[in-house]
Amino acid sequence: LLPGSGEEREQLYAALDRIPSRERLILKLFHFDGLSYKAIADVLKMPVNSISPLLLRARDSLRKEVGIP
């Protein structure tokens, strides 16, 4: 369960809906489903060394959407 009020969670989920689908997927796989980089690489059929930069980009996109610099 995410911390914060119900309204904060709704804002987070709305922000997730506004980022690119691939970035949203990698965030969900890592943070919500708890998959490892290797497991995410297997799901996305990409090299494991591509996961870290993609996850970083996804986090940056999400931060921008929720207004965190």
Side-chain angles (χ1 to χ4, degrees):
L1 200 56
L2 294 171
S5 69
E7 183 177 325
E8 289 171 337
R9 281 192 296 274
E10 286 179 27
Q11 290 174 351
L12 176 62
Y13 286 124
L16 276 168
D17 285 340
R18 293 189 301 267
I19 66 173
S21 61
R22 188 173 192 96
E23 293 179 6
R24 181 173 50 251
L25 176 60
I26 197 166
L27 284 172
K28 287 181 176 181
L29 291 172
F30 186 75
H31 290 289
F32 296 126
D33 297 339
L35 296 185
S36 67
Y37 282 21
K38 171 75 171 96
I40 294 169
D42 290 344
V43 168
L44 299 179
K45 299 190 183 343
M46 59 190 320
V48 72
N49 64 347
S50 299
I51 301 305
S52 182
L54 184 56
L55 190 55
L56 179 62
R57 189 168 38 251
R59 288 177 181 143
D60 287 344
S61 294
L62 185 60
R63 280 187 195 102
K64 288 176 187 170
E65 284 298 325
V66 295
I68 299 172

